[in-house]
């Protein structure tokens, strides 16, 4: 993840952090402060963890995948589409699991 004085802070107040089997997602979060990750995530490359973690943390502030969310993804990860594409390819090879990101 980017270490830059101009990078927006991703600090959040978590109520719950969990790792569990997830059939259709790599991770999920809720407005109640719950953050869950797929138990299959640790088997992936650390760059893909970064993508999934930043993706979910941004949803605590930006609930959709609009222009602001995409801009913040780029600020934190640069060309994040590379990791996104790789996760989609992995999900396609494991169908029907992991077809969505949030």
């Amino acid at each position: 993840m980017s270490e830059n004085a101009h990078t927006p802070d991703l600090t959040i107040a978590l109520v719950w952090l969990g790792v569990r089997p997830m059939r259709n997602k790599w991770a999920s979060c809720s407005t109640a402060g719950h953050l869950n990750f797929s138990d299959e995530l640790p088997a992936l490359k650390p760059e893909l963890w970064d993508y999934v973690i930043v993706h979910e943390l941004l949803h605590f502030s930006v609930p959709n995948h609009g222009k602001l969310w995409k801009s913040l993804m780029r600020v934190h990860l640069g060309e994040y589409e590379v990791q996104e594409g790789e996760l989609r390819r992995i999900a396609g090879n494991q169908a029907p699991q992991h077809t969505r990101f949030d």
Side-chain angles (χ1 to χ4, degrees), residues 6-90:
H6 302 291
T7 303
D9 187 12
L10 287 176
T11 302
I12 59 164
L14 277 181
V15 173
W16 171 261
L17 177 63
V19 176
R20 62 185 184 88
M22 301 180 89
R23 293 184 45 83
N24 299 312
K25 304 178 186 184
W26 293 110
S28 66
C29 65
S30 75
T31 56
H34 295 202
L35 184 56
N36 290 290
F37 294 100
S38 168
D39 62 349
E40 295 180 23
L41 194 60
L44 303 178
K45 298 187 307 189
E47 298 82 20
L48 300 179
W49 303 357
D50 288 348
Y51 173 90
V52 173
I53 292 167
V54 171
H55 180 126
E56 294 305 321
L57 290 177
L58 285 177
H59 279 316
F60 283 98
S61 301
V62 183
N64 57 51
H65 297 124
K67 288 181 183 179
L68 176 59
W69 183 87
K70 290 175 183 176
S71 295
L72 291 171
M73 284 292 285
R74 189 163 313 286
V75 166
H76 286 284
L77 297 176
E79 298 295 321
Y80 71 90
E81 296 91 346
V82 173
Q83 291 91 351
E84 185 176 74
E86 189 166 348
L87 285 166
R88 288 188 191 282
R89 280 190 298 281
I90 292 167

